[in-house]
Every structure is written in structure tokens, then in C-alpha cells.
């Protein structure tokens, strides 16, 4: 009778008001409570019903204690994002009321929001078997993400301690690296978006992202990426020759409405490299957007982000051996202002010279200094000279202290940082010697002679024996050409003393010669991820192959007494493009490793023959 006489509601619902239902439940009458749960769980529930319920829940949050956790969980599972604007606004209001009155539900609310940071999955089942499982390419995805961030900001506005509860959830929900590119892309993008309105979490979020990127990076060695590209190119060219007409049609289709679809040539053949490429592109875009306001560099924003990135670099990048791409976030931010590049070099220099740091960290810092000075096009010669002065002075002091003592012999374990510093100096000279000598050859030569390479090369610690052969041989050729030091006698002696290592295995004895006893690498070797390299390439110093004539010239020393005019002509004749050095790039691989053709900038090692 009561139901019939009551005024009709806009929607069908059971029982009395929400407050009455909850009071009945407290007294043990669960009938209406179960009906309420059932109606809220109904996938076909109408928008108007949801709005009515939420409106009542907002005024009754005081009743939603820990005991009613099950009911709150049903509310948090409502598909509110993909409904009308009225539902979304009502739901956001409900979330704010809930967390402000009952902080016990903060974590479940945060989990619900973070779970929406990736595209929903569409699963098609047939006979209890999943036959399709893919990302839902919802055209409203961007708007849904925006609403999620509004929800998170609403919660954070009501509960100041939100960041400390949020961070573990962000870590927990980070997708596995073998998830789809789209899933990873959306999650990382949303994480970076959180840093904009919760700046206290920025450092931790950057650490989380870089840690995941590193896992991708070390799982995809450069050689594997290049092999996959070569295989894909070969198979692609075979298919194109057999189905040329069909491919032409597809190319026409791609240009619908003058809008070129992202070509498949931009995709990386290696699946993990493809994921890494997409995520590095997002990271570079984030760095650029944070540092620039209205298209102009904002110094304060840039300094703050630089500090966070250096902290991430120290914690994660520096201790990681042989990562290929992730470290380029430091390369990129340093390109914005010379002061940042100099601060980064100073930071690495302090790491290198501090005897309290582990030897391996000091050696890696040396590798970073050499590679950064050689490859960063934005670092001027004056900065290169200042760094060389620091490094070479430190080397000479080290020789003063060690060259006559009990440890005055060639030993990587004892003198690792010394050898790493020597290699950084040799590597920098190989790349930068033309710029150091440009304009005034006599003055440039005088500067190089003041570095006293002869003492370094001739000392008892014998750095030429330890450094990578490709670096040693090019350094020897260049220093001989400019008559700075003659290294070949020492190189030949070292080669005679080289003792091969015999390793026994199931397949018999294997003779190995260790050509990289330092186990060093050049962190800024060529960047080969197709999309994100567009950001790096304009800032990057590439090598060009040496012609046979250049090789001959490299073997000819400059005659003493040459006039300055002739010197300038000589320099003009050999000044390469890219305001850099024409040559054969020493790379991080052992000398026996052939670098594929696709590796622009680090071709195979080439030895300049000993002078007869």
C-alpha cells in the first residue's frame, strides 16, 4: 500500500531512502541492503538511477564506515567514466565527500582511479576461450584520462596525505614491459601528468619511469635492435618486389585527406625497442614542456627538473652498465643551456675524482665525461679545453703519486679510474682535435703540446695497454700526425706482451684475447630508436667515414716550419661538415666486433697502419 500511494520517482528503485536501508542493515534486516547492492551492480543501470543513488550517498557518507567496505567497493566499480557528464560530476562530488568523511576508503579510491590510467581491454570469448584481447581504442580516451586526473586532484584536495598513499599504488599498477605499446604509453603519459599537480611526487615518479625504461633498454642490446631492423628490411624488400602494385595502393590509402598516417618505417622491428622508442619520445616531450613556458626557456623550471634528473641519473643510470638510450634524457636537458651542460660535467668530474666512490662508479663517470664532450655538439671548444685541462692535470698528479711507488705497474684493478680518465681524454681528442686546432694551428698545437701526452703514454701505468684498441689506434695516428707523441713503439711492445686467455669448455679450449679489460663503454654512442632520435640528432656529433686519401694524410706528419698560411690551407682542406671530425668512430664493441652498416656514426674499427 505504501509503495502504491507514494509519489512516482523518476527511476525504479527498491526500499526506502538510503539512510533507512543502512539503518535497517545495522539492525540486522539485510533484504533492502542486498537489493541495493544488486541494483548498483547491474551493468544495465541507467544514468538517472546512478545520479539518484549518488546524490543520496553524498549526504550519507557518515554511515559508510569500514563495516560497509563491500558496498563502497561496489560503488567504486561503477562504470562512471563512460557515462553522461551529469553522472561524472555527481561521482566526483561523491568521491570528495567520501574521502573527506571516511579516510579509511582513501586507498580503494586511489586504486580505482589509477586502474583507469590504461585503456580498457576488450575480451571476446568463444566457448570459454579468449579469442581476442586488445586495447579499446575509445575516441573519448583522452577525455576519460582528463576526468581521472580531475578525480585525483579532487581527492588530493580533500586529503593532504594523498601523495604518500598514491606512490605505492602507482608502482603496483605499472604495466609489465611486455604489455602493449599503447598500454605503456598511456600509463607513462598519465604518470608524468600527475607530476604537474602533485609536484612532491615528481622525483619518485621519474625514478619509477626511468627504472622501467632501463629494464627495456638493457633487455635490447644495440646489436639485437640492428639485427632485427636488417631482417625486417630484407623481408620487406622481398615482399615489395613481389607485391609492388599492392603496396602502391596502400601508400595512396595512407594519404587520405592530405593527412599522412605514421608510416610503418617509423616502427622499430624489435618489439621491446618499439616500446622503448615510444616511451623515450614521451619523456623527451615532457622535459621540453616542463622547461619551456610559452615557447621560452623558463630557467627556474629547468633548474628544478635538472636537479631531479641528476638525482635519478646518480641512483639508477650511473650504476647500470651498458645502457644504450635511457641516459639521453641528461644529454637532452643539458642542450637547453650551456650552464646545465657545464654543471653536468662538473658533477661527473666530482664523481670521478672522489676516492670514496666505488671504482666502478668513478670509471663510469669517466666514460660519461669522454662521451659527452665528444658527442654533444652544443658544447663549445672553450668548455672542452677547460675539461681537458682538469682531466689531464689530474692524470699527471696521479702519475706523480703512483709512478714510482710499489703499485707502479699496469693493473686495472688498482688504477681503473686512471685508465678511464685517460681513455676519456684520448676519446675527446679524437673527436675534437680539429676544433681545438681550428683557426690558429700554431696556437692549437701549442695548447696540445702543453698537455704533455708523452708523459702520460710513457708512464709505468701504461694506459695504451688498457684502453680500447680502436681508441688507442686513432689517438696514436692523430698524435703522430701533429707530432705530439709517438705511440707505436709502445703499442707494438704491448701487443707482444699480450697474453691470450685459454678457456676450457665442453666444446674444447677457446683462446680469447681481452680487448676491453676496463669493460668500458661509450654512453653516448649513436642513438638508433627511430622516433625519439629526431630529438637527439640535431644535437649530436656524428662521424663520417674516412676516404683512402684521408687515411694517407693521417699517416703524414706535419712538417715543422710550415707557414701559418699553409697551415690554414691544410685545415680548410680537411675541415669536415658537422663542425666536427671526419674519421672512423671508435665504438664500445671489442675490436673484433663488426658494427652493421645501419649503425650511423659508429662504423667498424679501422686500424691506421704502423709507419714503416
Amino acid at each position: 500500500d505504501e509503495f502504491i500511494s507514494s509519489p512516482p520517482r523518476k527511476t525504479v528503485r527498491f526500499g526506502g531512502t538510503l539512510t533507512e536501508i543502512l539503518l535497517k542493515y545495522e539492525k540486522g534486516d539485510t533484504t533492502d541492503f542486498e537489493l541495493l547492492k544488486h541494483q548498483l551492480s547491474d551493468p544495465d543501470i541507467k544514468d538517472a538511477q546512478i545520479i539518484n543513488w549518488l546524490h543520496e550517498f553524498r549526504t550519507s557518507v557518515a554511515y559508510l564506515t569500514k563495516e560497509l567496505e563491500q558496498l563502497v567497493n561496489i560503488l567504486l566499480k561503477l562504470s562512471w567514466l563512460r557515462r553522461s557528464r551529469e553522472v561524472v560530476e555527481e561521482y566526483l562530488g561523491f568521491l570528495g565527500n567520501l574521502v573527506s568523511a571516511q579516510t579509511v576508503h582513501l586507498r580503494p579510491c586511489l586504486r580505482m582511479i589509477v586502474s583507469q590510467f590504461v585503456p580498457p581491454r576488450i575480451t571476446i570469448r568463444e566457448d570459454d576461450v579468449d579469442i581476442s584481447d586488445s586495447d579499446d581504442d575509445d575516441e573519448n580516451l583522452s577525455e576519460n584520462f582528463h576526468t581521472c586526473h580531475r578525480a585525483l586532484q579532487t581527492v588530493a584536495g580533500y586529503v593532504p596525505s594523498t601523495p604518500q598513499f598514491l606512490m605505492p599504488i602507482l608502482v603496483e599498477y605499472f604495466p609489465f614491459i611486455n604489455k602493449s605499446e599503447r598500454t605503456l604509453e598511456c600509463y607513462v603519459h598519465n604518470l608524468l601528468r600527475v607530476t604537474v599537480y602533485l609536484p612532491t611526487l615528481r622525483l619518485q615518479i621519474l625514478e619509477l619511469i626511468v627504472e622501467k625504461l632501463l629494464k627495456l633498454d638493457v633487455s635490447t642490446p644495440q646489436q639485437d635492435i640492428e639485427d632485427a631492423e636488417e631482417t625486417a628490411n630484407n623481408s620487406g624488400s622481398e615482399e615489395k618486389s613481389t607485391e609492388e602494385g599492392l603496396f602502391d595502393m596502400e601508400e595512396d590509402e595512407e594519404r587520405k585527406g592530405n593527412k599522412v598516417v605514421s608510416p610503418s618505417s617509423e616502427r622499430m622491428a624489435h618489439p621491446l625497442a618499439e616500446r622503448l622508442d615510444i616511451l623515450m619520445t614521451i619523456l623527451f616531450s615532457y622535459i621540453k614542456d616542463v622547461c619551456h613556458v610559452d615557447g621560452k626557456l623558463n630557467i627556474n623550471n629547468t633548474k628544478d627538473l635538472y636537479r631531479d634528473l641528476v638525482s635519478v641519473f646518480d641512483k639508477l643510470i650511473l650504476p647500470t652498465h651498458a645502457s644504450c638510450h635511457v641516459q639521453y634524457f641528461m644529454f637532452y636537458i643539458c642542450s637547453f643551456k650551456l650552464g646545465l651542460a657545464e654543471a653536468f660535467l662538473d658533477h661527473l668530474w666530482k664523481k670521478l675524482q672522489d676516492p670514496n666512490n666505488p671504482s666502478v662508479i668513478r670509471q663510469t663517470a669517466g666514460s660519461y665525461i669522454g662521451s659527452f664532450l665528444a658527442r654533444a655538439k652544443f658544447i663549445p671548444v672553450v668548455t672542452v679545453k677547460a675539461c681537458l685541462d682538469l682531466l689531464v692535470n689530474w692524470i699527471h698528479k696521479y702519475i706523480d703519486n703512483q709512478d714510482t711507488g710499489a703499485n707502479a705497474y699496469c693493473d686495472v684493478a688498482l688504477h681503473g679510474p686512471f685508465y678511464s680518465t685517460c681513455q676519456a681524454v684520448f676519446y675527446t681528442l679524437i673527436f675534437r682535435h680539429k676544433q681545438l686546432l681550428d683557426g690558429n694551428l700554431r696556437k692549437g698545437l701549442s695548447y696540445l703540446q702543453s698537455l704533455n701526452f708523452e708523459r702520460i703514454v710513457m708512464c709505468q701505468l701504461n694506459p695504451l695497454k688498457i684502453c680500447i684498441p680502436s681508441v688507442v689506434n686513432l689517438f696514436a695516428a692523430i698524435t703522430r700526425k701533429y707530432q705530439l707523441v709517438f705511440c707505436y713503439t709502445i703499442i707494438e711492445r704491448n701487443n707482444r706482451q699480450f697474453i691470450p686467455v685459454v678457456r676450457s669448455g665442453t666444446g674444447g679450449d677457446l683462446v680469447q684475447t681481452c680487448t676491453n679489460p676496463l669493460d668500458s663503454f661509450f654512453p653516448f654512442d649513436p642513438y638508433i630508436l627511430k622516433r625519439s632520435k629526431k630529438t637527439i640528432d640535431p644535437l649530436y656529433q656524428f662521424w663520417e667515414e674516412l676516404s683512402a686519401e684521408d687515411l694517407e694524410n693521417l699517416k703524414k706528419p706535419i712538417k715543422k716550419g710550415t707557414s701559418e698560411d699553409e697551415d690554414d690551407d691544410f685545415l680548410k682542406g680537411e675541415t669536415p661538415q658537422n663542425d666536427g671530425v671526419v674519421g672512423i668512430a671508435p665504438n664500445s664493441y671489442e675490436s673484433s666486433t663488426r658494427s652493421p652498416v645501419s649503425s650511423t656514426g659508429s662504423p667498424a674499427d679501422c686500424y691506421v697502419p704502423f709507419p714503416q
Side-chain angles (χ1 to χ4, degrees), residues 86-371:
E86 291 77 12
V87 173
V88 168
E89 294 303 323
E90 194 67 40
Y91 197 87
L92 289 174
F94 161 70
L95 278 180
N97 289 14
L98 179 66
V99 295
S100 59
Q102 304 284 354
T103 50
V104 69
H105 299 303
L106 176 63
R107 274 199 186 93
C109 287
L110 294 175
R111 285 175 189 279
M112 179 275 295
I113 297 168
V114 172
S115 69
Q116 308 283 351
F117 277 3
V118 294
R121 306 291 290 174
I122 298 176
T123 306
I124 301 170
R125 292 177 71 81
E126 201 172 272
D127 299 328
D128 294 329
V129 177
D130 291 354
I131 59 169
S132 171
D133 183 19
S134 59
D135 293 330
D136 181 5
D137 272 337
D138 185 350
E139 60 187 22
N140 296 321
L141 199 57
S142 178
E143 193 179 324
N144 291 344
F145 288 151
H146 178 69
T147 308
C148 283
H149 289 290
R150 277 187 63 201
L152 201 49
Q153 284 172 274
T154 301
V155 171
Y158 282 107
V159 186
S161 59
T162 295
Q164 70 190 69
F165 290 98
L166 177 63
M167 197 60 219
I169 293 166
L170 294 177
V171 174
E172 179 189 341
Y173 276 80
F174 202 106
F176 292 115
I177 58 173
N178 60 352
K179 289 288 182 186
S180 74
E181 296 107 358
R182 185 76 176 131
T183 297
L184 284 162
E185 178 185 7
C186 290
Y187 195 80
V188 168
H189 189 276
N190 283 317
L191 280 186
L192 290 171
R193 198 165 162 182
V194 170
T195 67
V196 176
Y197 55 86
L198 293 179
T200 55
L201 286 183
R202 184 167 73 181
L203 178 57
Q204 289 169 272
I205 286 174
L206 286 171
E207 280 180 7
L208 172 61
I209 291 170
V210 169
E211 183 188 352
K212 301 296 180 181
L213 289 177
L214 272 175
K215 284 182 180 173
L216 276 170
D217 203 0
V218 297
S219 303
T220 50
Q222 205 153 340
Q223 194 68 50
D224 290 2
I225 297 173
E226 289 170 338
D227 290 347
E229 288 299 318
E230 196 174 341
T231 305
N233 289 339
N234 291 341
S235 62
S237 57
E238 285 171 21
E239 283 176 27
K240 191 156 187 176
S241 61
T242 54
E243 300 179 32
E244 203 145 28
L246 178 64
F247 275 99
D248 291 343
M249 285 167 61
E250 284 184 2
E251 284 170 11
D252 293 339
E253 286 290 313
E254 275 187 351
R255 286 162 177 76
K256 285 179 184 171
N258 296 325
K259 187 177 178 183
V260 180
V261 179
S262 180
S264 58
S265 61
E266 277 210 340
R267 282 188 69 84
M268 300 297 298
H270 195 296
L272 293 183
E274 171 69 5
R275 288 164 175 76
L276 183 62
D277 192 10
I278 291 168
L279 299 185
M280 287 302 294
T281 305
I282 292 171
L283 184 58
F284 289 152
S285 298
Y286 171 78
I287 291 170
K288 183 180 180 182
D289 289 348
V290 169
C291 296
H292 293 81
V293 178
D294 299 327
K296 291 183 180 177
L297 188 70
N298 182 294
I299 299 299
N300 291 331
N301 289 2
T302 306
K303 281 182 180 176
D304 290 344
L305 182 61
Y306 170 82
R307 287 189 197 101
D308 282 348
L309 290 177
V310 165
S311 177
V312 174
F313 175 85
D314 285 349
K315 185 175 179 180
L316 298 172
I317 302 288
L318 208 54
T320 303
H321 181 67
S323 59
C324 299
H325 299 99
V326 182
Q327 58 265 26
Y328 270 89
F329 68 75
M330 286 307 307
F331 190 95
Y332 183 50
I333 194 170
C334 287
S335 71
F336 294 164
K337 196 166 178 61
L338 178 59
L340 296 175
E342 290 176 342
F344 183 51
L345 285 164
D346 184 57
H347 179 74
L348 291 167
W349 163 240
K350 285 171 181 167
K351 293 268 180 202
L352 172 62
Q353 64 169 345
D354 184 358
N356 296 316
N357 283 328
S359 181
V360 66
I361 295 294
R362 297 175 69 192
Q363 286 172 223
T364 308
S367 297
Y368 269 94
I369 291 172
S371 199

Side-chain angles (χ1 to χ4, degrees), residues 392-461:
V392 170
N393 283 340
W394 183 86
I395 288 170
H396 283 301
K397 282 181 185 172
Y398 193 93
I399 294 170
D400 289 340
N401 294 332
Q402 300 288 338
D403 211 32
T404 53
N407 296 329
Y409 55 90
C410 186
D411 188 333
V412 176
L414 282 174
H415 309 296
F418 168 80
Y419 294 122
S420 183
T421 309
C422 290
Q423 185 160 279
V425 169
F426 299 164
Y427 190 69
T428 303
L429 184 76
I430 291 165
F431 270 83
R432 295 284 195 160
H433 71 278
K434 287 279 173 63
Q435 289 166 306
L436 289 167
L437 297 168
D438 203 11
N440 188 329
L441 182 63
R442 194 157 287 165
K443 194 174 176 183
L445 280 175
S446 175
Y447 168 72
L448 291 179
Q449 285 163 356
S450 74
L451 299 178
N452 196 356
F453 285 124
E454 186 168 8
R455 181 171 185 246
I456 296 170
V457 164
M458 301 290 184
C459 76
Q460 294 294 315
L461 304 180

